[in-house]
Amino acid sequence: MITLGFLGSFGHCVGMCVPLTTAFSLSLTQQQTFPPWQQQFTFHLLLNLGRLLSYTLVGAGIGALGSVLIAGGQMAGDGSWLRQGIAILTGLMLIWFGIVQVKPQFLPRLPFLHPLTQGNLHNRLSAAMVRLSFHTKWWTPAALGIVWGLMPCGFLYAAQIKAAETGSFWRGAAILFAFGLGTVPTMLGVGVSTAVIGTNQRSQLYRLAGWLTIFIGVLTLVRTGDGHGLIYITGHGALLCLMLALIARPIRRVWAQPLKYRRTLGVGAFVLALVHVGHTIQHTLGWNWQAVFFMLPQHQFAIACGIMALLLITPAAFTSFDRLQKTLGKHWRQLHLLSVPALVLCAIHVVLIGSHYLGTLQQTWRNYLFVAGLGLLTLGVLLVRSRWFWSILSLEKFYAPPLRHNQ
């Protein structure tokens, strides 16, 4: 987390916070004609200590909230569904933030965080802080730093999400403290760093921090829980993402929002499928490939269907780039249409091997209910993609035909 804060501070913090830091310096300069460097250093040291305190308190609060949510009963264990769900969400969001740092236009902004990152709120808080900086109290820079630490920041969200996943007051505080500590050298010596390090070098460091964020996200997914619950969650998560990706285009005239995230949903399905396979190999097979030959034929067939489904969506995942879409032309759509049979194979895989479906020896009415529900969902996705389905409902005008490759 210290490394993440340090590397990211050269790109994000220099770009977003240097104007604010410069304004603080100018306000101090106007108070005294020639302030000595010791006074500037003390001012910015108190400013950053206040920001560090704010980060730490926020991290402690987020971690404490997480500890309250998992404080009782089965939710307290490492293998609990809530802890695993939080860890999975944390890992996926860290990967999302990391990808946005590496390639800003590849993924859209998260819709529920977008209102917090609007420039108006940031600008209003900045203006208020600059006005406050003209006060001459000794504690003014520390107060400014505390308020500064509460400002909306997309880069800071990555550390806050990781703090929430800890489910601990002290570990949450430590996560945000370490992250803030990593940003202090750049912010404290911002005048020197901006002169020595050029824009291109800062951009490279910021992208490197993005790769580090992705690595932390992947590590969070891999180390989640005891694996058995994660197998269930990631498998269903991959299936849900694939379904949403497949219906995003046909329903765009009725509901346009999912189409913005179709690429994200498709790649998310692939990532979750990989995590699902990895945990299955680790926790179910124990890396003993011979164990497959001692399984029931039904389970062996289910595993084969799952492997085939993963192979079918792999080309779509690796060609989800604008440049490759233009290069491949009509062949790009043909590759991505392989996701349709992959969906059917995924559904068969889940039904035949899932413990909530037909994968258990003792089946109840709930198992058959789950089978019927998944079957209807899969059939619904296939029907939504069919023009015939819209025509028999007399809703053909709402059906969105496939986009041409140059669109």
Side-chain angles (χ1 to χ4, degrees):
M1 297 307 296
I2 291 176
T3 305
L4 177 64
F6 180 73
L7 292 175
S9 65
F10 286 97
H12 181 85
C13 298
V14 167
M16 296 295 294
C17 299
V18 162
L20 190 59
T21 308
T22 304
F24 293 155
S25 299
L26 291 175
S27 69
L28 185 62
T29 304
Q30 292 179 12
Q31 294 172 24
Q32 296 187 12
T33 307
F34 297 103
W37 72 267
Q38 294 94 336
Q39 185 173 352
Q40 283 280 1
F41 180 80
T42 301
F43 180 91
H44 286 285
L45 179 62
L46 289 173
L47 182 72
N48 282 278
L49 287 177
R51 181 172 61 88
L52 195 57
L53 175 62
S54 182
Y55 283 0
T56 305
L57 292 176
V58 169
I62 293 175
L65 179 61
S67 67
V68 170
L69 292 175
I70 59 176
Q74 294 298 318
M75 294 189 296
D78 286 338
S80 68
W81 65 268
L82 180 58
R83 183 182 289 272
Q84 290 178 346
I86 292 174
I88 292 170
L89 180 62
T90 299
L92 293 177
M93 292 184 70
L94 287 172
I95 293 172
W96 188 307
F97 282 125
I99 292 173
V100 170
Q101 285 177 236
V102 175
K103 192 173 180 61
Q105 303 303 322
F106 184 72
L107 295 176
R109 292 185 179 184
L110 290 173
F112 51 89
L113 291 181
H114 182 70
L116 299 178
T117 57
Q118 293 293 329
N120 291 336
L121 176 59
H122 191 282
N123 293 337
R124 286 197 297 269
L125 285 174
S126 300
M129 291 172 66
V130 170
R131 289 194 297 270
L132 180 61
S133 67
F134 284 94
H135 294 273
T136 56
K137 302 293 184 180
W138 69 269
W139 46 262
T140 298
L144 286 170
I146 292 174
V147 178
W148 188 7
L150 299 175
M151 294 182 69
C153 172
F155 183 50
L156 179 60
Y157 290 150
Q160 291 175 343
I161 290 169
K162 187 62 179 174
E165 188 264 339
T166 64
S168 165
F169 178 91
W170 296 108
R171 291 181 65 192
I175 288 288
L176 264 295
F177 176 81
F179 176 82
L181 194 63
T183 65
V184 167
T186 303
M187 290 294 94
L188 192 59
V190 67
V192 177
S193 66
T194 52
V196 174
I197 300 179
T199 303
N200 185 53
Q201 287 76 16
R202 291 200 302 267
S203 177
Q204 292 176 0
L205 287 170
Y206 186 55
R207 286 197 295 271
L208 181 58
W211 286 112
L212 182 59
T213 304
I214 294 173
F215 173 76
I216 294 173
V218 172
L219 192 63
T220 301
L221 288 176
V222 172
R223 297 178 61 185
T224 300
D226 62 0
H228 297 292
L230 188 66
I231 291 172
Y232 180 83
I233 295 172
T234 53
H236 284 80
L239 187 59
L240 178 61
C241 286
L242 185 58
M243 287 180 172
L244 292 174
L246 287 173
I247 67 171
R249 191 268 305 162
I251 67 170
R252 72 176 186 270
R253 289 181 180 171
V254 180
W255 187 23
Q257 197 69 11
L259 188 61
K260 292 173 55 179
Y261 301 96
R262 184 174 64 164
R263 175 185 292 172
T264 305
L265 290 167
V267 176
F270 177 72
V271 172
L272 285 171
L274 288 180
V275 176
H276 175 76
V277 171
H279 277 270
T280 300
I281 295 172
Q282 172 66 32
H283 295 279
T284 301
L285 301 178
W287 295 97
N288 180 15
W289 302 102
Q290 299 298 323
V292 176
F293 298 104
F294 295 93
M295 290 183 173
L296 294 174
Q298 170 185 323
H299 293 170
Q300 293 175 344
F301 181 71
I303 291 174
C305 289
I307 294 173
M308 290 174 61
L310 180 60
L311 292 176
L312 288 176
I313 65 173
T314 298
F318 281 93
T319 57
S320 293
F321 300 94
D322 293 335
R323 182 180 300 175
L324 285 176
Q325 183 178 0
K326 294 177 180 178
T327 302
L328 294 173
K330 64 179 181 180
H331 300 295
W332 182 88
R333 173 169 167 75
Q334 293 170 351
L335 282 176
H336 284 247
L337 282 176
L338 294 175
S339 301
V340 177
L343 171 64
V344 177
L345 290 170
C346 281
I348 295 173
H349 168 78
V350 172
V351 166
L352 293 181
I353 205 169
S355 59
H356 289 72
Y357 301 87
L358 303 181
T360 179
L361 295 177
Q362 296 180 347
Q363 297 168 10
T364 65
W365 64 269
R366 288 189 178 89
N367 295 85
Y368 295 111
L369 184 62
F370 274 100
V371 171
L374 181 56
L376 289 174
L377 276 175
T378 305
L379 179 61
V381 171
L382 298 176
L383 288 176
V384 166
R385 292 184 57 86
S386 169
R387 183 188 294 270
W388 168 82
F389 171 74
W390 294 83
S391 64
I392 64 173
L393 295 178
S394 300
L395 296 173
E396 192 171 8
K397 63 180 180 179
F398 294 108
Y399 174 76
L403 294 169
R404 295 193 301 271
H405 71 271
N406 60 353
Q407 290 181 305

